[in-house]
Amino acid sequence: MLLISSRTSSLFRFSSFPKCYHSMITINKLSPSLASHGSNLVKESRILGFKRVIDSPFRSKWGQIRVLSGSGCCCNNNNRGKSVISNVASNVRHHSTGVEGHAKEKGFERIYVQGGINIKPLLVDVVNNEEKQEDEFRVEVNSSNVNVDNDEKGLNEAEDVTVPKRELSRIEKEAWKLLEESVVNYCGAPVGTVAANDPADKLPLNYDQVFIRDFVPSALAFLLKGEGEIVRNFLLHTLQLQSWEKTVDCYSPGQGLMPASFKVRTVPLDGSGGATEEVLDPDFGESAIGRVAPVDSGLWWIILLRAYGKITGDYALQERVDIQTGIKLILNLCLTDGFDMFPSLLVTDGSCMIDRRMGIHGHPLEIQALFYSALRSSREMLMVDDGSKNLVRAINNRLSALSFHIREYYWVDMKKINEIYRYKTEEYSTNAINKFNIYPEQIPSWLVDWVPDRGGYLIGNLQPAHMDFRFFTLGNLWSIVSSLGTPRQNQGILNLVEDKWDDLMGQMPLKICYPALEYEEWRIITGSDPKNTPWSYHNGGSWPTLLWQFTLACIKMGRSELAEKAVTLAEKRLAMDKWPEYYDTRHGRFIGKQSRLHQTWTIAGYLTSKMLLEKPELASLLSWDEDLDLLETCICALSKTSRAKCSRGAAKSQILV
């Protein structure tokens, strides 16, 4: 008989730190109720890892894949044996009362969680209790190791997607060594990589923390190598850090916010005679420069979750009730109704990779591209039922509106610049051509001669009476990867990169944005930021970590030769320069003046690029094809008002291949 602990009465509880138990035991005898689950219960080797790891020529440095229970703290002197059988509670989520869906008349479900903002996901732990009979087990809520619905078909039929074994070059061997040395362990298992691991750096600030956005290229490198444990652990532990009640001036962020980073700390146990425990300490922006909450962390988490399933075949992780709840909380935070009239996501300056004041407040392209990718990922992973169908409908509507908005209003080429040059202003009607009241005088002098005849790009930002014409690399690359841009636009972006190679690549790929803010414009927009001086750091600096995203975009569009050229260019200096965070000057000739060395996402971005180029078919697992259904869906057509419908058909005929 399965005994349900009294703790299940509170699905999500408050706790100073989440609990973590991870030692494994062998189950010699199963109770009749557990045995009734049949062979699914004992197929632990397939559930705990993914087949390709076991068969891969690359063996994990951490040995056999293990599943850890939840995130939180572990006592150094805790020897209590615990084990997790993945399918014990395959139907637990169907009977849970901790999460309730509430539909608004014109909206979608809001996720209401008992206990307020401190969420502790549903987790099941099977404990061998010496005080009970051998055939009795307890199901506990507040541990982290249950695959509630194991997709065995996906695990059994998945093809080998790891990169084949070969002799690595000297630079690659050094890069792998440095990447493995950057791994952070928590309760005896890997949970991420530090931002930088320079042994000579005596003042690491927050570079000794695990950042969600920084870990993504590291995660992909490990996944492509066949080591999935660290990624799985990272996803589960960061999930339990979601929505902590951190504050700035007594004000708490919205429910569902993911931290920018976390750090493993060892703290003493009260009254324990010197015993210590490990805890995860998250940063939601309350310690960041500018005190800005990270908007992109939750979006990257969803994107990485999809990539983990695609590469490993472990789709059961996505189906867990805690994972499903985490996705919904992030989406609720992003899709909530507000004052904004645009389908793009409204954010403040410093809320993404560019985490300092750089004039990107409003609707920056980087956030929109990641938002679009996260929405498409969520639509693939959400389990559709009566409690989520309205949310899925809201996702589809937002995807349709967002793709139209970005493709129609953010795209510039010579034809579009000519149109803007002849704009009429002060148009007051629903049929206005110049919908955002853009003044032609905003067209900068550098732009006229910079845009090639055969290409174009998506501008950095769009707001009333303001178009930011700067080229932001990450947003444009991720628009290609996610198919936020049309096929013609995607090819046009790469055409522009090829035509303006010296400007965007120089001697070290890739410029984070082009051109840099200079002179009085730099003083006004950055606040005279000494770190963002012209052609440095976020203000036109060169960031080699963008290599993996450039490689992914090039492979998707059949332009691998551009990625190979960029990787070859980077290889000439990265190892010699000790893997810097960024490079300075217009053409990237100098190591950044405040650049950290042994920067982990520089190392991981290079390795991921090399593996993708070696096995380019893997790129299809990390990108999205054009979704033609989105183009047929226009939320305007669903409106019952007499307002004029948008010109979706005309827009499609103009920009689609």
Side-chain angles (χ1 to χ4, degrees):
M1 179 178 180
L2 207 63
L3 301 182
I4 307 298
S5 169
S6 60
R7 276 178 282 182
T8 59
S9 61
S10 176
L11 180 59
F12 302 103
R13 329 188 265 139
F14 286 96
S15 175
S16 298
F17 295 98
K19 298 297 180 182
C20 170
Y21 304 101
H22 61 269
S23 56
M24 306 296 294
I25 63 171
T26 302
I27 305 297
N28 296 319
K29 183 178 181 181
L30 299 177
S31 68
S33 59
L34 291 181
S36 66
H37 288 273
S39 61
N40 290 341
L41 187 60
V42 296
K43 295 178 180 178
E44 187 173 354
S45 62
R46 284 206 303 269
I47 297 169
L48 298 186
F50 52 96
K51 182 179 179 181
R52 282 153 284 189
V53 171
I54 299 173
D55 297 335
S56 171
F58 296 97
R59 292 296 299 171
S60 169
K61 65 169 285 191
W62 303 291
Q64 178 65 33
I65 295 291
R66 295 179 295 140
V67 171
L68 297 183
S69 59
S71 157
C73 67
C74 63
C75 301
N76 291 353
N77 58 356
N78 188 351
N79 296 318
R80 183 186 181 193
K82 298 203 173 194
S83 175
V84 176
I85 301 297
S86 298
N87 285 6
V88 168
S90 60
N91 294 318
V92 166
R93 61 184 172 84
H94 299 299
H95 306 291
S96 171
T97 60
V99 179
E100 302 172 5
H102 296 264
K104 295 175 63 177
E105 183 177 352
K106 293 185 179 180
F108 49 92
E109 293 81 9
R110 306 295 180 187
I111 305 302
Y112 292 89
V113 181
Q114 295 177 357
I117 196 171
N118 248 358
I119 308 165
K120 295 293 171 272
L122 172 65
L123 306 160
V124 179
D125 201 16
V126 179
V127 182
N128 185 10
N129 191 340
E130 296 178 355
E131 299 178 358
K132 300 293 183 180
Q133 298 179 2
E134 289 184 354
D135 60 347
E136 292 183 355
F137 293 80
R138 178 183 295 119
V139 177
E140 296 184 352
V141 176
N142 207 30
S143 180
S144 93
N145 291 318
V146 168
N147 294 333
V148 292
D149 280 324
N150 183 37
D151 187 347
E152 296 201 14
K153 181 178 179 180
L155 291 175
N156 292 334
E157 297 181 0
E159 299 178 357
D160 184 6
V161 297
T162 53
V163 177
K165 186 176 181 179
R166 63 173 174 80
E167 181 64 29
L168 300 179
S169 66
R170 178 188 60 81
I171 297 177
E172 289 174 284
K173 289 179 181 178
E174 177 185 336
W176 275 115
K177 178 177 180 293
L178 293 173
L179 182 59
E180 291 177 349
E181 289 175 352
S182 73
V183 170
V184 173
N185 287 293
Y186 170 64
C187 294
V191 293
T193 53
V194 293
N197 194 31
D198 182 5
D201 189 357
K202 304 303 181 183
L203 190 64
L205 298 178
N206 58 351
Y207 282 83
D208 61 350
Q209 298 185 21
V210 180
F211 281 80
I212 289 185
R213 78 172 70 92
D214 292 37
F215 179 68
V216 172
S218 296
L220 295 179
F222 285 123
L223 287 173
L224 294 174
K225 190 181 179 183
E227 298 177 356
E229 178 193 16
I230 185 173
V231 183
R232 181 187 175 94
N233 293 343
F234 172 85
L235 290 167
L236 290 172
H237 285 298
T238 50
L239 176 65
Q240 285 213 333
L241 297 177
Q242 184 185 36
S243 296
W244 270 39
E245 202 167 358
K246 292 297 185 83
T247 64
V248 175
D249 294 337
C250 303
Y251 186 78
S252 299
Q255 190 179 56
L257 181 69
M258 280 288 188
S261 62
F262 66 85
K263 184 177 178 65
V264 178
R265 300 187 187 277
T266 302
V267 298
L269 278 171
D270 294 337
S272 58
T276 61
E277 61 181 355
E278 287 184 347
V279 298
L280 297 179
D281 184 15
D283 178 9
F284 289 89
E286 73 279 0
S287 300
I289 296 189
R291 302 302 189 264
V292 177
V295 177
D296 62 341
S297 290
L299 306 178
W300 277 121
W301 185 87
I302 291 176
I303 293 168
L304 180 58
L305 176 64
R306 173 188 181 266
Y308 172 84
K310 286 281 188 178
I311 295 176
T312 68
D314 180 14
Y315 294 105
L317 181 68
Q318 301 172 3
E319 298 173 0
R320 291 170 46 138
V321 68
D322 53 343
I323 295 288
Q324 290 283 309
T325 301
I327 296 173
K328 292 175 183 178
L329 287 170
I330 295 171
L331 293 178
N332 283 345
L333 189 61
C334 294
L335 295 172
T336 187
D337 297 331
F339 291 101
D340 195 22
M341 291 291 291
F342 303 156
S344 45
L345 204 58
L346 178 63
V347 299
T348 188
D349 228 339
S351 58
C352 53
M353 178 182 176
I354 299 177
D355 57 4
R356 300 167 77 93
R357 181 177 167 189
M358 270 289 292
I360 64 169
H361 57 279
H363 305 84
L365 178 65
E366 176 179 333
I367 290 294
Q368 313 318 318
L370 293 176
F371 182 36
Y372 185 80
S373 304
L375 288 175
R376 292 199 64 176
S377 298
S378 299
R379 190 175 61 166
E380 293 180 26
M381 297 185 294
L382 278 175
M383 301 178 68
V384 181
D385 52 31
D386 291 340
S388 63
K389 61 182 180 181
N390 287 339
L391 178 58
V392 173
R393 186 181 302 114
I395 291 172
N396 286 329
N397 290 340
R398 192 62 167 265
L399 281 169
S400 176
L402 182 60
S403 63
F404 173 77
H405 185 79
I406 298 298
R407 293 175 176 194
E408 181 73 359
Y409 304 123
Y410 277 62
W411 177 255
V412 292
D413 53 13
M414 282 304 297
K415 178 182 177 182
K416 185 62 177 287
I417 295 171
N418 258 296
E419 292 176 5
I420 298 172
Y421 184 72
R422 294 172 55 83
Y423 265 168
K424 295 180 180 179
T425 58
E426 316 302 329
E427 293 182 289
Y428 182 81
S429 75
T430 56
N431 297 319
I433 301 299
N434 185 2
K435 290 182 171 60
F436 304 99
N437 201 35
I438 303 300
Y439 299 100
E441 289 76 12
Q442 290 184 27
I443 299 176
S445 57
W446 63 266
L447 181 64
V448 178
D449 297 323
W450 193 71
V451 175
D453 292 332
R454 69 184 189 100
Y457 66 100
L458 297 168
I459 63 171
N461 212 331
L462 176 66
Q463 297 186 78
H466 173 66
M467 294 183 77
D468 186 345
F469 287 99
R470 285 176 293 175
F471 177 89
F472 286 87
T473 302
L474 191 151
N476 274 276
L477 293 180
W478 210 252
S479 295
I480 297 174
V481 172
S482 65
S483 288
L484 176 56
T486 69
R488 181 182 297 168
Q489 290 171 347
N490 293 341
Q491 287 289 0
I493 293 169
L494 293 182
N495 288 341
L496 179 138
V497 172
E498 184 177 23
D499 192 84
K500 300 299 176 181
W501 189 268
D502 288 342
D503 290 334
L504 299 176
M505 299 291 183
Q507 296 187 25
M508 176 55 65
L510 284 144
K511 280 276 175 278
I512 191 171
C513 70
Y514 183 91
L517 301 172
E518 297 183 292
Y519 309 114
E520 199 63 27
E521 188 180 30
W522 164 74
R523 294 185 180 90
I524 294 172
I525 293 180
T526 73
S528 300
D529 187 347
K531 195 168 185 178
N532 273 332
T533 52
W535 308 108
S536 178
Y537 203 48
H538 298 139
N539 190 16
S542 298
W543 292 71
T545 185
L546 295 173
L547 268 176
W548 75 270
Q549 297 174 79
F550 181 65
T551 301
L552 190 56
C554 290
I555 293 174
K556 179 187 175 183
M557 303 308 297
R559 308 280 289 273
S560 298
E561 71 282 356
L562 291 179
E564 291 173 353
K565 182 180 177 182
V567 171
T568 301
L569 181 64
E571 277 181 324
K572 295 178 180 179
R573 296 184 58 189
L574 283 179
M576 180 177 63
D577 294 341
K578 299 183 179 178
W579 308 93
E581 178 184 15
Y582 65 95
Y583 286 78
D584 283 353
T585 73
R586 182 183 289 269
H587 297 291
R589 297 185 64 187
F590 295 165
I591 298 173
K593 57 188 174 185
Q594 296 188 44
S595 178
R596 259 48 182 197
L597 303 181
H598 293 178
Q599 186 79 15
T600 304
W601 68 351
T602 297
I603 298 166
Y606 164 75
L607 290 173
T608 299
S609 296
K610 293 288 287 187
M611 287 188 284
L612 287 173
L613 287 172
E614 186 172 349
K615 199 169 183 182
E617 60 269 23
L618 298 181
S620 63
L621 300 177
L622 304 174
S623 60
W624 292 261
D625 293 327
E626 176 80 307
D627 189 339
L628 298 179
D629 291 338
L630 288 177
L631 303 176
E632 302 299 330
T633 304
C634 178
I635 197 169
C636 297
L638 305 177
S639 174
K640 297 180 180 179
T641 68
S642 58
R643 288 186 179 275
K645 304 298 186 292
C646 70
S647 55
R648 181 64 59 92
K652 285 168 55 180
S653 65
Q654 291 176 7
I655 62 178
L656 287 177
V657 173

